[in-house]
Short mmCIF file of all heavy atoms in Angstrom, two decimals:
data_model
loop_
_atom_site.label_atom_id
_atom_site.label_comp_id
_atom_site.label_asym_id
_atom_site.label_seq_id
_atom_site.Cartn_x
_atom_site.Cartn_y
_atom_site.Cartn_z
N GLU A 23 127.87 105.34 72.52
CA GLU A 23 127.05 106.51 72.82
C GLU A 23 126.35 106.35 74.16
O GLU A 23 126.17 105.23 74.65
CB GLU A 23 126.00 106.75 71.72
CG GLU A 23 126.58 107.14 70.37
CD GLU A 23 127.32 108.47 70.39
OE1 GLU A 23 127.00 109.34 71.23
OE2 GLU A 23 128.24 108.64 69.57
N ASN A 24 125.96 107.46 74.72
CA ASN A 24 125.21 107.47 75.97
C ASN A 24 123.75 107.13 75.72
O ASN A 24 123.14 107.65 74.77
CB ASN A 24 125.28 108.86 76.60
CG ASN A 24 126.05 108.86 77.90
OD1 ASN A 24 125.98 107.91 78.67
ND2 ASN A 24 126.78 109.93 78.16
N THR A 25 123.18 106.29 76.55
CA THR A 25 121.75 106.01 76.47
C THR A 25 120.97 107.31 76.59
O THR A 25 121.19 108.09 77.51
CB THR A 25 121.32 105.04 77.59
OG1 THR A 25 122.08 103.84 77.48
CG2 THR A 25 119.84 104.73 77.51
N GLY A 26 120.06 107.54 75.65
CA GLY A 26 119.24 108.74 75.69
C GLY A 26 119.80 109.92 74.93
O GLY A 26 119.13 110.95 74.82
N TYR A 27 121.01 109.80 74.37
CA TYR A 27 121.61 110.93 73.65
C TYR A 27 120.95 111.12 72.29
O TYR A 27 120.52 110.15 71.65
CB TYR A 27 123.11 110.68 73.46
CG TYR A 27 123.98 111.31 74.51
CD1 TYR A 27 123.52 111.51 75.80
CD2 TYR A 27 125.29 111.70 74.22
CE1 TYR A 27 124.31 112.08 76.77
CE2 TYR A 27 126.09 112.27 75.18
CZ TYR A 27 125.60 112.47 76.46
OH TYR A 27 126.40 113.05 77.40
N VAL A 28 120.88 112.36 71.82
CA VAL A 28 120.26 112.66 70.53
C VAL A 28 121.05 112.06 69.37
O VAL A 28 120.51 111.87 68.28
CB VAL A 28 120.10 114.18 70.32
CG1 VAL A 28 119.22 114.79 71.39
CG2 VAL A 28 121.45 114.89 70.27
N GLU A 29 122.34 111.78 69.60
CA GLU A 29 123.16 111.22 68.53
C GLU A 29 122.73 109.80 68.16
O GLU A 29 122.96 109.36 67.02
CB GLU A 29 124.63 111.22 68.94
CG GLU A 29 125.28 112.58 69.04
CD GLU A 29 125.00 113.28 70.37
OE1 GLU A 29 124.32 112.67 71.25
OE2 GLU A 29 125.44 114.42 70.53
N VAL A 30 122.10 109.09 69.10
CA VAL A 30 121.73 107.69 68.84
C VAL A 30 120.78 107.56 67.65
O VAL A 30 121.06 106.80 66.71
CB VAL A 30 121.14 107.04 70.12
CG1 VAL A 30 120.59 105.65 69.82
CG2 VAL A 30 122.20 106.97 71.22
N PRO A 31 119.64 108.27 67.62
CA PRO A 31 118.77 108.13 66.44
C PRO A 31 119.40 108.66 65.16
O PRO A 31 119.09 108.16 64.07
CB PRO A 31 117.52 108.93 66.83
CG PRO A 31 117.94 109.83 67.93
CD PRO A 31 119.01 109.09 68.66
N LEU A 32 120.28 109.64 65.26
CA LEU A 32 120.95 110.14 64.05
C LEU A 32 121.83 109.05 63.43
O LEU A 32 121.87 108.89 62.21
CB LEU A 32 121.80 111.37 64.39
CG LEU A 32 121.04 112.62 64.86
CD1 LEU A 32 122.03 113.74 65.21
CD2 LEU A 32 120.05 113.09 63.80
N ILE A 33 122.50 108.28 64.29
CA ILE A 33 123.32 107.18 63.79
C ILE A 33 122.43 106.05 63.28
O ILE A 33 122.70 105.44 62.23
CB ILE A 33 124.27 106.68 64.89
CG1 ILE A 33 125.25 107.78 65.28
CG2 ILE A 33 125.03 105.43 64.44
CD1 ILE A 33 126.06 107.49 66.53
N GLN A 34 121.35 105.76 64.01
CA GLN A 34 120.42 104.71 63.57
C GLN A 34 119.83 105.03 62.21
O GLN A 34 119.58 104.11 61.40
CB GLN A 34 119.32 104.54 64.61
CG GLN A 34 119.79 103.92 65.92
CD GLN A 34 118.74 103.93 67.00
OE1 GLN A 34 117.86 104.80 67.01
NE2 GLN A 34 118.80 102.98 67.92
N ASP A 35 119.60 106.31 61.93
CA ASP A 35 119.02 106.70 60.64
C ASP A 35 119.94 106.40 59.46
O ASP A 35 119.49 106.40 58.30
CB ASP A 35 118.69 108.20 60.66
CG ASP A 35 117.47 108.53 61.51
OD1 ASP A 35 116.73 107.59 61.87
OD2 ASP A 35 117.26 109.72 61.82
N LEU A 36 121.22 106.14 59.74
CA LEU A 36 122.15 105.82 58.67
C LEU A 36 121.99 104.38 58.18
O LEU A 36 122.42 104.06 57.06
CB LEU A 36 123.60 106.02 59.14
CG LEU A 36 124.05 107.45 59.44
CD1 LEU A 36 125.43 107.43 60.09
CD2 LEU A 36 124.07 108.28 58.16
N ALA A 37 121.37 103.52 58.97
CA ALA A 37 121.31 102.09 58.65
C ALA A 37 120.73 101.81 57.27
O ALA A 37 121.36 101.11 56.45
CB ALA A 37 120.54 101.34 59.74
N PRO A 38 119.53 102.32 56.95
CA PRO A 38 118.99 102.00 55.62
C PRO A 38 119.81 102.58 54.48
O PRO A 38 119.87 101.99 53.39
CB PRO A 38 117.57 102.59 55.67
CG PRO A 38 117.60 103.62 56.75
CD PRO A 38 118.58 103.11 57.75
N LYS A 39 120.44 103.71 54.71
CA LYS A 39 121.27 104.31 53.66
C LYS A 39 122.50 103.46 53.40
O LYS A 39 122.90 103.25 52.24
CB LYS A 39 121.68 105.73 54.07
CG LYS A 39 120.50 106.66 54.32
CD LYS A 39 120.96 108.00 54.86
CE LYS A 39 119.77 108.88 55.24
NZ LYS A 39 120.19 110.17 55.85
N CYS A 40 123.12 102.97 54.49
CA CYS A 40 124.29 102.10 54.32
C CYS A 40 123.90 100.81 53.60
O CYS A 40 124.57 100.37 52.65
CB CYS A 40 124.90 101.77 55.68
SG CYS A 40 125.66 103.17 56.55
N GLU A 41 122.79 100.20 54.05
CA GLU A 41 122.37 98.92 53.47
C GLU A 41 121.95 99.09 52.01
O GLU A 41 122.13 98.17 51.20
CB GLU A 41 121.24 98.34 54.30
CG GLU A 41 121.73 97.89 55.69
CD GLU A 41 120.61 97.45 56.61
OE1 GLU A 41 119.46 97.86 56.37
OE2 GLU A 41 120.89 96.71 57.57
N ALA A 42 121.41 100.26 51.65
CA ALA A 42 121.03 100.51 50.26
C ALA A 42 122.25 100.52 49.34
O ALA A 42 122.13 100.25 48.14
CB ALA A 42 120.28 101.84 50.16
N GLU A 43 123.41 100.83 49.90
CA GLU A 43 124.64 100.83 49.11
C GLU A 43 125.44 99.55 49.32
O GLU A 43 126.62 99.47 48.94
CB GLU A 43 125.49 102.04 49.47
CG GLU A 43 124.87 103.36 49.05
CD GLU A 43 125.84 104.53 49.15
OE1 GLU A 43 127.04 104.29 49.42
OE2 GLU A 43 125.40 105.68 48.94
N GLY A 44 124.81 98.55 49.96
CA GLY A 44 125.47 97.27 50.16
C GLY A 44 126.53 97.28 51.24
O GLY A 44 127.42 96.42 51.25
N LYS A 45 126.44 98.24 52.15
CA LYS A 45 127.42 98.34 53.23
C LYS A 45 126.78 97.96 54.55
O LYS A 45 125.56 98.11 54.73
CB LYS A 45 127.96 99.78 53.31
CG LYS A 45 128.64 100.26 52.04
CD LYS A 45 129.06 101.71 52.18
CE LYS A 45 129.72 102.23 50.90
NZ LYS A 45 130.10 103.67 51.03
N PRO A 46 127.57 97.47 55.49
CA PRO A 46 127.00 97.14 56.80
C PRO A 46 126.51 98.39 57.51
O PRO A 46 127.09 99.47 57.37
CB PRO A 46 128.17 96.50 57.57
CG PRO A 46 129.21 96.20 56.53
CD PRO A 46 129.01 97.18 55.42
N LYS A 47 125.44 98.24 58.28
CA LYS A 47 124.94 99.37 59.05
C LYS A 47 125.86 99.64 60.24
O LYS A 47 126.58 98.74 60.70
CB LYS A 47 123.53 99.09 59.55
CG LYS A 47 123.44 97.97 60.56
CD LYS A 47 122.00 97.74 60.98
CE LYS A 47 121.93 96.61 62.03
NZ LYS A 47 120.53 96.36 62.46
#
């Protein structure tokens, strides 16, 4: 992703959801 793009925090927000299901972020 491009530095500063709005997609970056949207992808980062997936981390706890993935880890809650035992999957890598």
